[in-house]
Amino acid sequence: MKEYRNICVLKAFELDEKQSEALKNMSSDGVFADITENEGDFTVTVASETDEIAFNDAVNDAVRICGDRLYDDSGQSLASKVVETLAAEAKTLSVAESFTGGMICSDIVGVSGASAVLYEGAVTYSANAKIRRLHVKARTLETYGAASRQVCAEMLDGLISTRMTDYAIATTGCAGPDTDEFGTPVGRCFIGVADRNEKQVFEYDFDEDRNGLRRRAANTALWQLLAFSRNKNEN
């Protein structure tokens, strides 16, 4: 992209089609607007060569369009925003990953300052690891399968129950190429976030290849943690 005198990079998550179209149509004389997306993570660039008033108006419009899906106004990644947010709260995070295979922790560790917020990460890929490390009940796995809301909730419990961390993320799902023995469709996943008082588990059906599914789920988990933290601080 050419050099601009004024530039603002906004970050938002899971913008809908109407929001995306509105942002794409913002370009006008003196103002450039661009939007890109990577597995649910949107980058919105607003720039101007000379017209500062039009630029500021365009930035305000873009912020309004993004609404509560906006998570940063300085171009930070999801992982960077998580580290910044938790550091500002003086809170720590533990992560239990199944099909995402450590991708969430890798994103966080890639950010300078991660050591201040990341307490631990566990890739509990097998059923035995979920049982032994996170104390997921064998009966829960036998009844609902690993890719289930119930198992995701117990994975969160296994992290939070140690009382050594403030926040927790857990992921489990069916990455394919085939359905599991419970008939879970490929792309179905469960993403959970929690603190010591509350937990939330979300169900998704993503239409991605194996690695695209993992990337999408990792991004979504980081976003859900940001939303969870934001809601806690607003209430």
Side-chain angles (χ1 to χ4, degrees):
M1 188 174 69
K2 63 184 289 187
E3 292 291 325
Y4 286 93
R5 177 181 175 184
N6 304 302
I7 188 166
C8 178
V9 181
L10 304 176
K11 299 288 290 185
F13 198 74
E14 285 187 342
L15 297 173
D16 62 27
E17 185 175 347
K18 183 178 179 180
Q19 289 170 305
S20 297
E21 286 302 312
L23 290 164
K24 289 175 183 177
N25 293 329
M26 282 181 51
S27 291
S28 61
D29 290 342
V31 176
F32 167 82
D34 182 60
I35 178 171
T36 60
E37 185 255 347
N38 177 26
E39 301 298 353
D41 190 20
F42 285 79
T43 301
V44 182
T45 304
V46 180
S48 174
E49 291 184 73
T50 57
D51 194 337
E52 190 164 337
I53 293 176
F55 167 74
N56 289 331
D57 288 345
V59 170
N60 289 334
D61 285 344
V63 168
R64 175 184 54 78
I65 292 167
C66 291
D68 63 3
R69 313 308 291 184
L70 181 73
Y71 69 83
D72 188 70
D73 60 3
S74 62
Q76 285 193 90
S77 68
L78 280 161
S80 292
K81 191 65 177 181
V82 165
V83 171
E84 177 189 79
T85 299
L86 269 59
E89 296 179 7
K91 296 291 180 64
T92 57
L93 170 68
S94 290
V95 184
E97 302 184 62
S98 187
F99 76 108
T100 47
M103 189 173 281
I104 297 169
C105 279
S106 179
D107 288 347
I108 293 171
V109 171
V111 178
S112 177
S115 59
V117 302
L118 184 61
Y119 178 73
E120 64 175 338
V123 180
T124 52
Y125 201 72
S126 69
N128 280 340
K130 292 178 178 67
I131 293 168
R132 293 172 64 86
R133 172 61 186 84
L134 300 172
H135 308 295
V136 173
K137 298 180 183 67
R139 183 172 293 276
T140 304
L141 286 158
E142 292 166 0
T143 303
Y144 300 104
S148 66
R149 179 181 299 274
Q150 293 81 358
V151 165
C152 187
E154 291 189 14
M155 291 170 71
L156 290 170
D157 291 341
L159 294 173
I160 289 293
S161 64
T162 65
R163 304 194 68 80
M164 298 298 291
T165 190
D166 299 298
Y167 288 116
I169 291 174
T171 65
T172 186
C174 182
D178 302 311
T179 61
D180 62 17
E181 64 270 29
F182 287 81
T184 307
V186 175
R188 177 163 297 171
C189 61
F190 297 87
I191 296 169
V193 293
D195 63 9
R196 296 181 190 179
N197 300 309
E198 181 184 1
K199 62 185 172 187
Q200 298 176 353
V201 178
F202 305 90
E203 178 179 341
Y204 294 93
D205 286 285
F206 294 135
D207 184 17
E208 316 278 354
D209 62 18
R210 185 179 182 87
N211 285 325
L213 168 63
R214 295 174 61 229
R215 179 71 272 161
R216 181 77 176 223
N219 286 350
T220 302
L222 292 168
W223 158 254
Q224 288 294 2
L225 181 66
L226 287 173
F228 186 77
S229 171
R230 178 194 294 172
N231 184 61
K232 290 287 182 180
N233 290 321
E234 287 177 351
N235 292 333

Short mmCIF file of all heavy atoms in Angstrom, two decimals, residues 184-206:
data_model
loop_
_atom_site.label_atom_id
_atom_site.label_comp_id
_atom_site.label_asym_id
_atom_site.label_seq_id
_atom_site.Cartn_x
_atom_site.Cartn_y
_atom_site.Cartn_z
N THR A 184 -19.99 -36.96 15.29
CA THR A 184 -19.77 -35.51 15.30
C THR A 184 -19.31 -35.05 13.93
O THR A 184 -18.32 -35.57 13.40
CB THR A 184 -18.70 -35.12 16.34
OG1 THR A 184 -19.05 -35.68 17.60
CG2 THR A 184 -18.58 -33.62 16.45
N PRO A 185 -19.99 -34.10 13.32
CA PRO A 185 -19.59 -33.66 11.98
C PRO A 185 -18.23 -32.97 11.99
O PRO A 185 -17.87 -32.29 12.97
CB PRO A 185 -20.70 -32.70 11.57
CG PRO A 185 -21.33 -32.26 12.84
CD PRO A 185 -21.21 -33.39 13.79
N VAL A 186 -17.47 -33.14 10.92
CA VAL A 186 -16.19 -32.47 10.79
C VAL A 186 -16.43 -30.96 10.81
O VAL A 186 -17.31 -30.44 10.14
CB VAL A 186 -15.49 -32.88 9.48
CG1 VAL A 186 -14.21 -32.07 9.28
CG2 VAL A 186 -15.20 -34.36 9.48
N GLY A 187 -15.65 -30.26 11.60
CA GLY A 187 -15.79 -28.82 11.73
C GLY A 187 -16.55 -28.37 12.95
O GLY A 187 -16.54 -27.19 13.30
N ARG A 188 -17.19 -29.31 13.64
CA ARG A 188 -17.88 -28.93 14.88
C ARG A 188 -16.87 -28.82 16.02
O ARG A 188 -16.05 -29.71 16.22
CB ARG A 188 -18.97 -29.91 15.26
CG ARG A 188 -19.66 -29.56 16.59
CD ARG A 188 -20.97 -30.26 16.76
NE ARG A 188 -21.91 -29.84 15.71
CZ ARG A 188 -23.08 -30.41 15.48
NH1 ARG A 188 -23.47 -31.44 16.22
NH2 ARG A 188 -23.86 -29.97 14.50
N CYS A 189 -16.94 -27.74 16.73
CA CYS A 189 -16.00 -27.57 17.84
C CYS A 189 -16.67 -26.81 18.97
O CYS A 189 -17.68 -26.13 18.79
CB CYS A 189 -14.73 -26.86 17.39
SG CYS A 189 -14.99 -25.20 16.75
N PHE A 190 -16.07 -26.95 20.13
CA PHE A 190 -16.55 -26.30 21.34
C PHE A 190 -15.41 -25.50 21.93
O PHE A 190 -14.30 -26.02 22.12
CB PHE A 190 -17.08 -27.33 22.33
CG PHE A 190 -18.27 -28.08 21.81
CD1 PHE A 190 -18.09 -29.23 21.03
CD2 PHE A 190 -19.55 -27.63 22.05
CE1 PHE A 190 -19.18 -29.91 20.52
CE2 PHE A 190 -20.66 -28.31 21.54
CZ PHE A 190 -20.47 -29.45 20.77
N ILE A 191 -15.68 -24.24 22.19
CA ILE A 191 -14.68 -23.32 22.71
C ILE A 191 -15.21 -22.74 24.01
O ILE A 191 -16.32 -22.19 24.04
CB ILE A 191 -14.39 -22.20 21.69
CG1 ILE A 191 -13.76 -22.80 20.42
CG2 ILE A 191 -13.47 -21.13 22.30
CD1 ILE A 191 -13.69 -21.84 19.26
N GLY A 192 -14.43 -22.88 25.07
CA GLY A 192 -14.88 -22.41 26.37
C GLY A 192 -13.94 -21.39 26.96
O GLY A 192 -12.72 -21.44 26.74
N VAL A 193 -14.52 -20.45 27.69
CA VAL A 193 -13.73 -19.47 28.45
C VAL A 193 -14.32 -19.41 29.86
O VAL A 193 -15.52 -19.64 30.07
CB VAL A 193 -13.75 -18.07 27.80
CG1 VAL A 193 -13.03 -18.09 26.48
CG2 VAL A 193 -15.18 -17.56 27.62
N ALA A 194 -13.48 -19.11 30.83
CA ALA A 194 -13.95 -19.11 32.22
C ALA A 194 -13.05 -18.27 33.09
O ALA A 194 -11.89 -18.01 32.77
CB ALA A 194 -13.99 -20.55 32.76
N ASP A 195 -13.64 -17.85 34.22
CA ASP A 195 -12.83 -17.37 35.34
C ASP A 195 -13.27 -18.19 36.56
O ASP A 195 -13.92 -19.23 36.40
CB ASP A 195 -12.97 -15.86 35.55
CG ASP A 195 -14.38 -15.42 35.92
OD1 ASP A 195 -15.25 -16.28 36.19
OD2 ASP A 195 -14.63 -14.20 35.94
N ARG A 196 -12.97 -17.76 37.75
CA ARG A 196 -13.27 -18.58 38.93
C ARG A 196 -14.75 -18.53 39.32
O ARG A 196 -15.17 -19.30 40.19
CB ARG A 196 -12.39 -18.13 40.10
CG ARG A 196 -10.91 -18.36 39.83
CD ARG A 196 -10.05 -17.93 41.01
NE ARG A 196 -8.64 -17.94 40.65
CZ ARG A 196 -7.65 -17.59 41.49
NH1 ARG A 196 -7.96 -17.21 42.72
NH2 ARG A 196 -6.40 -17.62 41.09
N ASN A 197 -15.51 -17.66 38.66
CA ASN A 197 -16.92 -17.51 39.01
C ASN A 197 -17.89 -17.91 37.90
O ASN A 197 -19.06 -18.16 38.17
CB ASN A 197 -17.21 -16.05 39.40
CG ASN A 197 -16.39 -15.60 40.59
OD1 ASN A 197 -16.37 -16.27 41.62
ND2 ASN A 197 -15.71 -14.48 40.44
N GLU A 198 -17.42 -17.97 36.68
CA GLU A 198 -18.32 -18.19 35.56
C GLU A 198 -17.60 -18.90 34.42
O GLU A 198 -16.39 -18.71 34.23
CB GLU A 198 -18.86 -16.85 35.06
CG GLU A 198 -19.83 -16.94 33.91
CD GLU A 198 -20.26 -15.57 33.39
OE1 GLU A 198 -19.78 -14.56 33.92
OE2 GLU A 198 -21.06 -15.53 32.43
N LYS A 199 -18.34 -19.70 33.68
CA LYS A 199 -17.78 -20.29 32.47
C LYS A 199 -18.80 -20.24 31.36
O LYS A 199 -20.02 -20.26 31.60
CB LYS A 199 -17.33 -21.74 32.71
CG LYS A 199 -18.42 -22.70 33.12
CD LYS A 199 -17.83 -24.07 33.44
CE LYS A 199 -18.90 -24.99 34.05
NZ LYS A 199 -18.32 -26.26 34.52
N GLN A 200 -18.30 -20.14 30.14
CA GLN A 200 -19.15 -20.10 28.95
C GLN A 200 -18.56 -21.06 27.93
O GLN A 200 -17.35 -21.08 27.70
CB GLN A 200 -19.19 -18.69 28.37
CG GLN A 200 -19.78 -17.64 29.29
CD GLN A 200 -19.70 -16.24 28.70
OE1 GLN A 200 -19.11 -16.01 27.66
NE2 GLN A 200 -20.31 -15.28 29.39
N VAL A 201 -19.43 -21.86 27.32
CA VAL A 201 -19.00 -22.78 26.27
C VAL A 201 -19.82 -22.48 25.01
O VAL A 201 -21.05 -22.43 25.07
CB VAL A 201 -19.18 -24.25 26.69
CG1 VAL A 201 -18.77 -25.18 25.55
CG2 VAL A 201 -18.36 -24.56 27.95
N PHE A 202 -19.13 -22.31 23.90
CA PHE A 202 -19.75 -21.96 22.62
C PHE A 202 -19.58 -23.10 21.63
O PHE A 202 -18.51 -23.71 21.55
CB PHE A 202 -19.12 -20.69 22.05
CG PHE A 202 -19.15 -19.52 22.99
CD1 PHE A 202 -18.11 -19.31 23.88
CD2 PHE A 202 -20.22 -18.64 23.00
CE1 PHE A 202 -18.12 -18.23 24.76
CE2 PHE A 202 -20.26 -17.57 23.87
CZ PHE A 202 -19.21 -17.36 24.75
N GLU A 203 -20.62 -23.38 20.87
CA GLU A 203 -20.58 -24.42 19.84
C GLU A 203 -20.49 -23.76 18.46
O GLU A 203 -21.23 -22.81 18.17
CB GLU A 203 -21.83 -25.29 19.92
CG GLU A 203 -21.89 -26.37 18.83
CD GLU A 203 -23.12 -27.25 18.95
OE1 GLU A 203 -23.74 -27.27 20.04
OE2 GLU A 203 -23.47 -27.90 17.95
N TYR A 204 -19.59 -24.28 17.63
CA TYR A 204 -19.40 -23.75 16.28
C TYR A 204 -19.38 -24.90 15.27
O TYR A 204 -18.95 -26.01 15.60
CB TYR A 204 -18.09 -22.98 16.16
CG TYR A 204 -18.04 -21.71 16.98
CD1 TYR A 204 -17.52 -21.71 18.27
CD2 TYR A 204 -18.50 -20.51 16.46
CE1 TYR A 204 -17.47 -20.56 19.03
CE2 TYR A 204 -18.45 -19.34 17.21
CZ TYR A 204 -17.93 -19.37 18.48
OH TYR A 204 -17.88 -18.22 19.23
N ASP A 205 -19.79 -24.60 14.07
CA ASP A 205 -19.63 -25.50 12.93
C ASP A 205 -18.91 -24.71 11.85
O ASP A 205 -19.52 -23.91 11.14
CB ASP A 205 -20.98 -26.01 12.44
CG ASP A 205 -21.59 -27.05 13.37
OD1 ASP A 205 -21.11 -28.19 13.35
OD2 ASP A 205 -22.53 -26.70 14.11
N PHE A 206 -17.60 -24.94 11.74
CA PHE A 206 -16.79 -24.21 10.78
C PHE A 206 -16.61 -25.01 9.50
O PHE A 206 -16.42 -26.24 9.56
CB PHE A 206 -15.41 -23.89 11.38
CG PHE A 206 -15.45 -22.94 12.54
CD1 PHE A 206 -14.71 -23.19 13.68
CD2 PHE A 206 -16.22 -21.79 12.49
CE1 PHE A 206 -14.73 -22.31 14.76
CE2 PHE A 206 -16.25 -20.91 13.56
CZ PHE A 206 -15.49 -21.16 14.69
#
